[in-house]
């Protein structure tokens, strides 16, 4: 029963996304993301029609990177949450990636490799970054 409800929610949610004017234009402009370096803006899904998957920057969970113009003991780290939906297999998974090389900045899910290249904007001293202002550059490749 839970799987049916989950699948129904998934279908309704992404149907709404695809029929929205602003989002559908973004999807059309970026309709081939497989194997490329792509930029994901927070909350805007990108669709690969060939491989039938959707990938989206869900949120920035933490951003403790050393701000520009500040001297820090270490460079810091940021953690992002990414949603991946494989439409062929009807699988939705969330995963986290980090900006610091000592942490997990890449992963493999459902025969796809993901690597976080950068998180923007970079923090500045005494300036807050709103969630909706974040974007990431990421590699997505089939393995």
């Amino acid at each position: 029963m839970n799987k049916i409800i989950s699948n129904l929610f998934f279908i309704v949610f992404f149907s709404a996304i695809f029929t929205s004017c602003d989002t559908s234009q973004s999807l059309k402009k970026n309709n081939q993301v497989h194997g490329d370096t792509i930029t994901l803006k927070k909350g805007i899904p990108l669709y690969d029609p060939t491989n039938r998957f959707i990938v989206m920057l869900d949120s920035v969970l933490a951003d403790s990177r050393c701000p520009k113009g500040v001297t820090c003991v270490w460079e810091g780290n940021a953690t992002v949450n990414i949603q991946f939906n494989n439409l062929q297999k009807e699988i939705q998974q969330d995963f986290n990636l980090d900006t610091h090389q000592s942490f997990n900045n890449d992963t493999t899910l459902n025969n796809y490799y993901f690597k976080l290249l950068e998180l923007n904007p970079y923090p500045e001293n005494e300036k807050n970054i709103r969630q909706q202002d974040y974007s990431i550059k990421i590699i997505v490749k089939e393995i």
Side-chain angles (χ1 to χ4, degrees):
M1 182 68 172
N2 284 342
K3 184 169 174 124
I4 293 170
I5 292 171
S6 176
N7 286 340
L8 183 60
F9 173 77
F10 179 78
I11 290 167
V12 170
F13 177 75
F14 285 104
S15 294
I17 287 173
F18 291 131
T19 58
S20 164
C21 292
D22 293 338
T23 305
S24 64
Q25 288 181 356
S26 296
L27 293 170
K28 288 176 187 172
K29 288 180 197 172
N30 299 294
N31 63 358
Q32 182 61 29
V33 298
H34 173 71
D36 295 332
T37 299
I38 59 172
T39 299
L40 296 175
K41 293 183 179 183
K42 196 254 182 238
I44 300 177
L46 295 178
Y47 175 58
D48 181 337
T50 304
N51 298 292
R52 298 195 60 227
F53 69 77
I54 296 170
V55 63
M56 181 177 76
L57 171 60
D58 180 60
S59 61
V60 176
L61 300 175
D63 190 353
S64 65
R65 296 173 293 168
C66 184
K68 292 177 188 175
V70 175
T71 303
C72 299
V73 176
W74 84 300
E75 63 191 82
N77 181 53
T79 304
V80 299
N81 179 263
I82 299 169
Q83 285 184 357
F84 175 73
N85 297 292
N86 185 327
L87 302 175
Q88 292 175 334
K89 297 181 181 179
E90 297 182 11
I91 296 172
Q92 177 181 344
Q93 292 180 291
D94 286 22
F95 60 94
N96 298 336
L97 295 177
D98 295 281
T99 58
H100 195 278
Q101 301 300 316
S102 297
F103 299 110
N104 185 28
N105 68 354
D106 64 349
T107 193
T108 302
L109 295 172
N110 296 309
N111 298 321
Y112 289 94
Y113 172 76
F114 300 87
K115 180 172 177 73
L116 178 62
L117 301 175
E118 62 184 61
L119 171 65
N120 291 305
Y122 198 86
E124 295 182 30
N125 194 22
E126 297 185 26
K127 281 191 175 180
N128 291 328
I129 303 171
R130 299 176 308 169
Q131 281 285 322
Q132 65 264 27
D133 294 335
Y134 280 110
S135 67
I136 59 173
K137 285 191 180 176
I138 189 171
I139 294 174
V140 181
K141 290 186 181 182
E142 187 172 19
I143 54 173

